[in-house]
Amino acid sequence: MNTKHTLMTIGVGIIGVVTFAGTANAAPVDLTAAKAKCDAAITERVAELAKLTTRVNSAKALTADHKATVGGILSASNSGLNDLKAKIDADTDAATLKADCGQITAGFRIYALRAPQVRLALAGDRQATVLTKGTTIVPKLEAAIQKAATNGKDVTDANAKLDDLKAKLADATTLLNGLVDNELTFTPEQWNANHGVLSGAMQSLKTSQADLKTALADAKAIIADLKA
Amino acid sequence: MTARNTTRTTRTTNRTMKQTTMHRSLLATAAGLLLLAACGSTSTSSKVDSTTTRPATTVVETTAAPETSAAAVTTVSVAPTSAAAAPAAPVTVDASVDQALKDADALLGANDQDMASASSAAANGG
């Protein structure tokens, strides 16, 4: 919703500036109206950054390092947008205003890059937490299976599920290795050159998410089997 | 007459005493046999207990026959080899595993939302 709204606002703002610039000799200049639209676009982004900051500060799964990195990105974006707003408010010609207003999107990419980066960092670190929990329960499941076997139970299925669980955890470990650190390095400039910079990280997270869900299902199946 | 009567009475008394003695002997013998029988029974039970091999598994415990005969000993010895046929005791998994799975489910559920939002935002640009 916000993204579409912002795009429309910026679009209208930029078109207004362009129209204004193109007809500078024929019509009166309305810098004030153009600046208001640019300021509104900045205000929306600053509000989005505040929401993201609140989420990051309260995120339990986010590691301290990632929290610091994300916090730095959000803080720098917030400062940059406020500085840009001050510059826009001080602009005195249409060409400069047009260029500055264009920087709201191209220079910061709050919706296209920064917000997804934060969400992917949250998702990646949550997965890392799940991975740790999964790794912790493996020896407990192994012990339970061994005990059941000693009692004379057929544990063929339970062992097969345990093998699959281990394989899925191993795959997720590989996929998550350095993923968040890497995806947080992308800049608005890189996104401008390649809109798919986050595609690889997203795909890896989707795969590891599926791996972890399967691992959890395996663990539940093992427990159900042993309790039967 | 009196002397003859006295002799007859004495003979009768002697016969009665002999019969009483026999009865007492029979009773003593019977009691002795019963005691021996009782001892023999106890001895047999002890022998079974000392020679019975009790497997540690619950499967054996539930299928074992009373340990008072040779047949019971055989059943207990064979039971472990046919354990698959009997239901195995359920195993209790560490309670912390259930909690870890619940926590993991919640974390992955939150991820679904964030990953969907990240995908749509990246696609929209801005």
Side-chain angles (χ1 to χ4, degrees):
Chain A
M1 288 289 286
N2 281 342
T3 306
K4 289 179 181 174
H5 184 223
T6 303
L7 286 171
M8 289 176 65
T9 305
I10 290 298
V12 170
I14 291 173
I15 288 168
V17 172
V18 169
T19 303
F20 168 74
T23 57
N25 295 328
V29 175
D30 189 1
L31 284 178
T32 303
K35 286 179 181 179
K37 290 174 181 175
C38 294
D39 284 349
I42 289 174
T43 300
E44 275 187 16
R45 283 162 175 74
V46 168
E48 177 69 11
L49 289 171
K51 286 181 189 173
L52 292 171
T53 301
T54 300
R55 285 203 64 190
V56 167
N57 288 339
S58 63
K60 293 178 181 174
L62 206 59
T63 67
D65 283 349
H66 292 158
K67 193 174 278 191
T69 303
V70 171
I73 290 171
L74 296 177
S75 178
S77 297
N78 189 63
S79 298
L81 283 170
N82 282 324
D83 289 346
L84 184 58
K85 181 179 183 301
K87 186 173 186 308
I88 286 171
D89 289 345
D91 283 343
T92 56
D93 66 272
T96 304
L97 181 58
K98 178 188 173 186
D100 287 343
C101 205
Q103 278 301 301
I104 296 171
T105 51
F108 296 93
R109 295 296 178 193
I110 302 301
Y111 295 114
L113 178 68
R114 296 313 191 188
Q117 279 179 308
V118 172
R119 292 194 171 99
L120 293 183
L122 288 166
D125 280 359
R126 281 197 206 103
Q127 287 187 4
T129 302
V130 172
L131 195 55
T132 302
K133 288 180 181 293
T135 305
T136 303
I137 67 172
V138 165
K140 293 176 180 175
L141 291 175
E142 284 176 332
I145 291 172
Q146 181 60 46
K147 189 176 177 184
T150 303
N151 283 1
K153 186 176 181 62
D154 181 356
V155 292
T156 306
D157 287 345
N159 274 325
K161 293 284 183 191
L162 185 65
D163 287 343
D164 186 60
L165 186 157
K166 288 178 182 175
K168 292 295 185 290
L169 292 182
D171 190 43
T173 301
T174 303
L175 290 166
L176 287 173
N177 186 28
L179 185 149
V180 174
D181 288 327
N182 185 54
E183 66 95 5
L184 285 176
T185 63
F186 294 122
T187 64
E189 290 73 24
Q190 287 174 300
W191 190 93
N192 293 336
N194 173 18
H195 292 0
V197 286
L198 293 179
S199 297
M202 281 190 189
Q203 187 53 52
S204 292
L205 280 175
K206 284 179 184 174
T207 305
S208 55
Q209 178 89 348
D211 281 342
L212 292 171
K213 284 184 176 179
T214 302
L216 294 186
D218 285 338
K220 290 173 186 173
I222 291 169
I223 293 169
D225 188 23
L226 296 182
K227 284 182 178 176
Chain B
M1 282 294 286
T2 304
R4 189 183 293 174
N5 284 342
T6 302
T7 303
R8 194 175 294 165
T9 302
T10 302
R11 284 179 183 163
T12 304
T13 302
N14 286 341
R15 194 181 300 152
T16 304
M17 285 179 67
K18 279 181 183 177
Q19 286 176 345
T20 302
T21 303
M22 278 182 67
H23 286 156
R24 281 179 183 168
S25 297
L26 284 170
L27 281 170
T29 304
L33 287 171
L34 283 171
L35 186 62
L36 283 171
C39 289
S41 176
T42 306
S43 174
T44 304
S45 293
S46 299
K47 188 177 182 182
V48 171
D49 279 341
S50 63
T51 55
T52 300
T53 302
R54 293 191 183 202
T57 60
T58 53
V59 175
V60 174
E61 290 294 330
T62 55
T63 57
E67 300 173 359
T68 53
S69 66
V73 176
T74 305
T75 303
V76 171
S77 302
V78 169
T81 60
S82 59
V91 172
T92 304
V93 180
D94 191 316
S96 65
V97 173
D98 276 335
Q99 188 57 50
L101 291 176
K102 284 179 185 173
D103 293 344
D105 271 335
L107 288 166
L108 292 182
N111 267 9
D112 285 333
Q113 278 188 315
D114 268 323
M115 289 168 68
S117 296
S119 293
S120 62
N124 285 334

